[in-house]
Amino acid sequence: MKTPRRERREKLPSPSSPAPDPGSAKGDPERLYVITGGPDGGERAALDLVTMVVACSTPSPTVQPEQAAILRLCRAPLSVAEISAYLRLPFSVVTSLLTDLLATELVESRAPIVRAVLPDRSLLEAVMHGLQRL
Amino acid sequence: MDFKGSDTITGPRTEDVLPSTATAAVKVVIVGGFGVGKTTMVGAVSEIRPLTTEETMTQASIGVDDNSRIEGKTATTVAMDFGRISISEQLILYLFGTPGQERFWFLWNGLFEGALGAVVLVDTRRLEVSFDVIGRLEERGVPFVVAVNTFPDAPSHPMEALRHALDLPDEVPMVNCDARLRASSRDVLLTLMNYLHALALQRS
Ligand SMILES: Nc1nc2c(ncn2[C@@H]2O[C@H](COP(=O)(O)OP(=O)(O)O)[C@@H](O)[C@H]2O)c(=O)[nH]1
Ligand SMILES: [Mg+2]
């Protein structure tokens, strides 16, 4: 082969690869996201692309149109990525809209199951079985 | 970016609506250079038509944290296609086709950190474009498999020659695939899951 050769790299020590939050590593279905301060001083919920969102109520006339649209979309669970796609709004805009909806308890969110230092074998087996049915 | 009003919003088709029990999500990232077949692979296995999420990258978000300079900012829109596979009534697997350049990855919180693992799609006609991606995954400790997308006019190399050129350890799985085919793309994902499972066994 005439292509140049790559050189293997070492894993960098953390914090460049932050350990997943142990609280969410188990995918505790009851765990709701904590709202943390954003870089702009505003509050921003730590939402992942695949945080699942579900509406707790139907839109009232007082919510913004974008938020009303989210409440309608999320009558059934939907990921933040899907909300962004259907509303054609950037991910960061959707997370800030959701931050308000979470703070006012109009929606609920479920953290995704993230990669853990010790991966959950039964989870991986479930995914394998699901894929085999495709 | 402008919101077009909720009248024009089309949500999921009726058959794509998830059951109310679907509250556990996992994600896998498919990463590779432009035109390597990421969107094709997502579409081949996804139960929904692939969707697109985007983020706008401005000068400010590249690291100049100074509002006074936002006037002169240059904005780049970075899009990611994704799809979904329902694993069970509770568990949903999301697949993200991600641009190969690391400077885009930070736009989405925990894109790689939270992923179960990654598939690096490579095209043997342009092997070098995957060098950097693979290095970044190694540095971040993200487990990955390499899928060689076989294009008809691509030179065919023995897998061992490719492994050598990519300088991959023996344990990193490498497979050939045709990203257009559901079965082939599914097998790539199964290869990744088997590898993650083996790693889990090793560590326990
Ligand atoms: N022959 C062949 N063509 C492919 C394959 N995968 C993708 N393509 C084609 O390559 C082009 C680029 O694929 P796309 O999925 O858009 O690449 P992306 O930029 O990585 O998302 C499309 O025209 C695909 O139809 C493959 O496995 N075999
Ligand atoms: Mg694409």
Side-chain angles (χ1 to χ4, degrees):
Chain A
M1 273 181 78
K2 288 216 204 67
T3 43
R5 186 162 186 230
R6 189 184 79 90
E7 254 177 62
R8 207 173 289 186
R9 297 191 204 162
E10 291 299 318
K11 184 177 185 304
L12 298 175
S14 322
S16 69
S17 52
D21 176 359
S24 59
K26 283 261 177 276
D28 177 355
E30 296 313 318
R31 181 175 180 272
L32 298 181
Y33 260 117
V34 182
I35 299 187
T36 52
D40 44 9
E43 305 265 285
R44 176 81 47 101
L47 294 164
D48 189 277
L49 280 163
V50 299
T51 295
M52 299 302 287
V53 178
V54 64
C56 309
S57 77
T58 49
S60 72
T62 54
V63 299
Q64 294 173 30
E66 289 89 340
Q67 292 177 327
I70 292 178
L71 293 176
R72 271 191 293 273
L73 277 176
C74 296
R75 280 185 286 231
L78 214 53
S79 64
V80 177
E82 283 165 295
I83 298 171
S84 155
Y86 288 124
L87 295 185
R88 288 193 216 95
L89 289 174
F91 176 66
S92 57
V93 173
V94 171
T95 54
S96 78
L97 290 166
L98 282 170
T99 300
D100 288 348
L101 291 171
L102 283 166
T104 50
E105 295 179 350
L106 293 175
V107 301
E108 243 178 58
S109 69
R110 293 289 150 81
I113 306 173
V114 301
R115 184 176 73 250
V117 179
L118 191 63
D120 177 348
R121 291 200 311 250
S122 58
L123 170 79
L124 295 170
E125 284 156 16
V127 174
M128 286 189 259
H129 291 140
L131 288 172
Q132 272 149 359
R133 282 196 310 269
L134 261 189
Chain B
M1 240 258 202
D2 341 45
F3 187 69
K4 304 285 193 292
S6 48
D7 295 345
T8 59
I9 302 292
T10 37
R13 298 177 304 180
T14 319
E15 60 269 38
D16 293 341
V17 172
L18 289 170
S20 59
T21 48
T23 51
V26 291
K27 70 186 163 187
V28 161
V29 176
I30 299 169
V31 63
F34 179 76
V36 74
K38 303 180 295 292
T39 304
T40 306
M41 179 172 274
V42 168
V45 288
S46 176
E47 67 194 19
I48 55 169
R49 173 182 57 84
L51 296 171
T52 306
T53 178
E54 57 174 51
E55 193 51 283
T56 307
M57 187 165 65
T58 60
Q59 210 73 56
S61 54
I62 299 168
V64 189
D65 201 9
D66 176 357
N67 286 341
S68 62
R69 289 209 227 157
I70 284 183
E71 281 297 84
K73 74 188 175 182
T74 50
T76 314
T77 298
V78 184
M80 236 183 353
D81 290 334
F82 67 97
R84 184 183 91 189
I85 301 169
S86 293
I87 297 297
S88 68
E89 291 285 295
Q90 291 78 36
L91 182 63
I92 314 294
L93 168 64
Y94 285 93
L95 303 165
F96 289 89
T98 303
Q101 303 92 316
E102 191 189 42
R103 66 196 177 92
F104 298 145
W105 298 352
F106 78 97
L107 289 171
W108 292 276
N109 287 335
L111 178 61
F112 281 92
E113 287 75 11
L116 295 182
V119 171
V120 179
L121 253 191
V122 304
D123 174 347
T124 53
R125 294 168 301 182
R126 300 173 294 147
L127 209 56
E128 321 78 68
V129 303
S130 2
F131 287 7
D132 192 52
V133 176
I134 294 175
R136 306 281 180 179
L137 296 177
E138 284 172 339
E139 285 173 356
R140 290 165 174 243
V142 180
F144 63 92
V145 301
V146 172
V148 181
N149 202 6
T150 20
F151 287 88
D153 55 333
S156 123
H157 300 292
M159 208 50 114
E160 276 321 300
L162 290 173
R163 183 181 292 283
H164 178 79
L166 294 173
D167 193 17
L168 293 173
D170 289 342
E171 62 265 24
V172 173
M174 294 186 71
V175 285
N176 276 305
C177 76
D178 184 327
R180 296 166 300 178
L181 305 178
R182 171 171 278 205
S184 180
S185 295
R186 177 208 51 210
D187 289 347
V188 170
L189 295 174
L190 278 169
T191 302
L192 175 64
M193 293 306 146
N194 276 309
Y195 177 53
L196 298 175
H197 196 265
L199 289 177
L201 276 174
Q202 232 175 60
R203 282 175 201 169
S204 61

